Structures are given as C-alpha cells and as structure tokens.
Amino acid sequence: MKLKSLLLVSALCGISTSTFAQMQLELSLKEITTGQYHRPYTAVWVENSRGESVKTLALWVQHDGHKWFKDIRRWWRKAGRDNPAMVDGVSSATRPAGKYHLDWDLSYDEGKPLAEGDYQLFIEVVREHGGRELIRHPFSLPGNDFNVKLPATSETGESQIHYSR
C-alpha cells in the first residue's frame, strides 16, 4: 500500500521512480593488532564507464593540507587533485576499526541524479606503515536490486553493498 502511494505521488508530481533508488554500503575496517598501527586513510567513490569520478561518498583522512591525500592513489588521480572544493566538503577524520554505514541517493557530486549507465563503486584503504587495498564492484543503472557481500581483505572486514529501486 505504501509503495502504491509513493508511485501515485511520483506519477502526479512527474518524478521518476529512479528518484527513489538508493545504495547503502556497510564498510568494515579491520582491527589490526600487529606492528605499528595507524588508522587507515579511506576513500569510497563511484566512477562511470569512462573511468571518470562521479561521486565521492566518503573520504576519511588526516587533513594536513593535501599532504596525505596523495597516498590514496587512485582516488587522488580520479577525483581529488582536480576538485579541492569537493575534497573540503566531504573529508573527515580517519576512523578506527569498526563498521560504518554509508547511504547514497545515486546523485553526482553536484547533486543531480545519476544517468543510466555502467558504473563501478571503489573502496580504497591505505595505512601508513601498512597495506593498501583497492576494492571495486561494477553495477548498472537502473539495473535490478542487488545485495552483494564483499570479501574481507588485509585492511577490511567483510563489507556489503545493497541497491534498491
């Protein structure tokens, strides 16, 4: 009943049902107890089929100018170095080991809805005196609903992506 009401309101207001699509990410940062440990620099972003960044969902890094951003190599080359305003808008402090929830309304960095097409979600985790992981997951829009478990890596625990329209 709630879905029917939502669809009716959407139709009356001329809003596409894709407006209500969303993606959630449950990201797990692994607890590492060996050796010298520093919280990881973490970036979560989306690229289109041409490899262009369209949205940075999270950027957790020590904000000491842009000195440490370059360590998140792929994100820096694709999104960070050419868009200092976006970097200032999304960056926040590094996070300790644990689980984190990110919601995304399928919009570009500028806020407009994402166009239909092929995309990849990236998670890059880099630790000083530690490892580096780059995780990617392709998806298409509008596409079917999906729920994907991403296996644990040397820097992350098991994570999960959920997409629904």
Side-chain angles (χ1 to χ4, degrees):
M1 185 66 169
K2 190 175 182 180
L3 179 60
K4 286 182 181 177
S5 298
L6 185 61
L7 292 173
L8 179 60
V9 169
S10 300
L12 292 173
C13 295
I15 300 170
S16 167
T17 53
S18 64
T19 302
F20 302 108
Q22 61 180 339
M23 187 173 287
Q24 288 114 23
L25 172 65
E26 296 288 336
L27 174 61
S28 176
L29 296 178
K30 189 178 270 185
E31 183 171 343
I32 298 172
T33 57
T34 59
Q36 186 178 16
Y37 179 79
H38 297 277
R39 292 180 178 181
Y41 304 149
T42 305
V44 180
W45 78 102
V46 176
E47 294 180 9
N48 63 21
S49 61
R50 294 182 305 274
E52 300 163 337
S53 174
V54 297
K55 178 73 174 186
T56 297
L57 302 172
L59 178 60
W60 303 331
V61 65
Q62 180 178 345
H63 202 310
D64 187 12
H66 288 172
K67 181 178 178 182
W68 303 110
F69 292 153
K70 292 181 245 177
D71 289 350
I72 312 172
R73 287 182 274 172
R74 184 171 176 110
W75 171 83
W76 178 250
R77 287 192 316 266
K78 297 292 183 169
R81 69 180 171 192
D82 296 328
N83 197 346
M86 180 274 298
V87 170
D88 288 339
V90 299
S91 63
S92 62
T94 57
R95 307 288 166 94
K99 292 189 178 200
Y100 299 94
H101 181 92
L102 299 172
D103 288 319
W104 179 37
D105 62 358
L106 303 177
S107 64
Y108 288 94
D109 281 325
E110 301 82 26
K112 65 182 180 182
L114 212 60
E116 291 182 7
D118 297 324
Y119 297 91
Q120 287 196 77
L121 175 77
F122 286 88
I123 302 167
E124 189 169 11
V125 180
V126 180
R127 201 165 39 85
E128 188 176 351
H129 305 292
R132 175 179 181 272
E133 292 289 345
L134 181 64
I135 301 165
R136 64 182 81 201
H137 181 75
F139 64 95
S140 297
L141 295 178
N144 295 324
D145 294 2
F146 64 84
N147 195 17
V148 175
K149 287 187 179 183
L150 303 173
T153 68
S154 65
E155 298 293 325
T156 63
E158 185 177 88
S159 298
Q160 192 165 350
I161 303 171
H162 176 74
Y163 166 74
S164 63
R165 301 190 301 156

